[in-house]
């Protein structure tokens, strides 16, 4: 077990997933749900994110090469998904608990592209490329699991914030989360366009 490599993986992925930053978005999407459904959404989102990151860690480059997909395209797709969710939050369409599905919320945008987004996927793929020993591969696996456990704990016990904010505060938080998601989406798409432009200019030099 390479503990130094484990620490690098853990800190990098923890910063990228940003559990405290996920709380407002998570509460905006699930604040109107019963506590049991909110906990289920947190569990499903983390499980999905763990599965997606694990798949890309094992066969990420192979999958992208087979589908002829470049990483900037993955960023752009994630940005478009977040735009759709941000519009729902900003227009109030996400406020009706009867129209919300726990599984859908866990799938998009919580599980992906927020937790298992382009940043986490690319970082994991880079760590796998750097790994040379069995201890380092083990460090990557345990690092990913440790980060997902930390995210789950933060989301699972964010319910007390719902009690403090009450419905009025949740509504305000929903609009703020919509703005944050829109900003994240724009940044993802801007990075995607910038990467494509850089690739194009490099290819034509």
């Amino acid at each position: 077990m390479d503990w130094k490599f484990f620490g690098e993986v853990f800190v990098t992925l923890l910063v990228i997933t940003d559990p405290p930053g996920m709380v407002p978005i998570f509460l905006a999407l699930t604040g109107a749900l019963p506590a049991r459904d909110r906990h289920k959404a947190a569990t499903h989102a983390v499980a999905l994110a763990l599965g997606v990151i694990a798949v890309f860690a094992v066969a990420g480059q192979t999958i992208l090469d087979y589908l002829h997909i470049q990483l900037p395209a993955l960023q752009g797709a994630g940005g478009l998904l977040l735009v759709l969710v941000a519009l729902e939050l900003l227009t109030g369409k996400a406020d009706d608990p009867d129209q919300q599905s726990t599984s859908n919320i866990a799938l998009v945008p919580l599980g992906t592209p927020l937790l298992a987004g382009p940043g986490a996927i690319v970082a994991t793929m880079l760590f796998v490329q750097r790994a040379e020993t069995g201890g380092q591969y083990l460090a990557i696996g345990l690092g990913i699991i440790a980060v997902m456990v930390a995210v789950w704990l933060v989301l699972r016990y964010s319910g007390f914030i719902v009690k403090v904010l009450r419905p009025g505060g949740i509504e305000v938080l929903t609009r703020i989360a919509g703005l944050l998601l829109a900003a994240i989406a724009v940044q993802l798409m801007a990075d995607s366009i910038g990467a494509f432009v850089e690739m194009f200019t490099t290819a034509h030099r």
Side-chain angles (χ1 to χ4, degrees):
M1 176 68 176
D2 189 332
W3 289 104
K4 182 179 179 181
F5 201 64
F6 168 83
E8 190 175 347
V9 172
F10 178 79
V11 171
T12 301
L13 292 181
L14 192 68
V15 170
I16 292 174
T17 54
D18 186 20
M22 281 289 297
V23 170
I25 298 170
F26 176 74
L27 292 181
L29 291 168
T30 64
L33 295 175
R36 183 177 179 180
D37 288 343
R38 190 167 58 250
H39 299 161
K40 187 184 297 184
T43 301
H44 289 176
V46 170
L48 174 66
L50 178 61
V52 170
I53 292 176
V55 167
F56 275 92
V58 174
Q61 195 60 54
T62 303
I63 293 172
L64 295 181
D65 291 342
Y66 179 77
L67 297 175
H68 303 291
I69 297 174
Q70 295 176 326
L71 290 175
L74 204 61
Q75 286 181 305
L80 289 174
L81 284 173
L82 290 185
V83 164
L84 296 176
V85 178
L87 289 175
E88 288 190 357
L89 292 176
L90 289 170
T91 57
K93 290 183 179 179
D95 293 342
D96 186 358
D98 294 330
Q99 296 182 0
Q100 295 193 48
S101 168
T102 301
S103 60
N104 288 342
I105 291 172
L107 179 65
V108 178
L110 293 177
T112 181
L114 285 175
L115 290 178
I121 290 172
V122 172
T124 303
M125 290 171 61
L126 291 176
F127 279 125
V128 171
Q129 290 175 6
R130 285 175 50 195
E132 298 177 349
T133 66
Q136 289 180 331
Y137 285 114
L138 179 61
I140 294 172
L142 292 181
I144 294 171
I145 293 173
V147 168
M148 290 297 111
V149 169
V151 172
W152 180 81
L153 288 173
V154 170
L155 298 183
R156 170 64 175 77
Y157 294 102
S158 61
F160 76 95
I161 301 177
V162 175
K163 299 177 182 179
V164 174
L165 292 178
R166 300 187 181 279
I170 290 293
E171 185 174 351
V172 173
L173 187 64
T174 298
R175 303 300 179 261
I176 295 173
L179 287 174
L180 292 175
L181 269 183
I184 294 172
V186 170
Q187 186 63 57
L188 278 174
M189 290 187 287
D191 291 343
S192 174
I193 293 171
F196 274 122
V197 170
E198 184 178 351
M199 290 167 57
F200 179 80
T201 55
T202 301
H204 288 77
R205 281 178 182 173

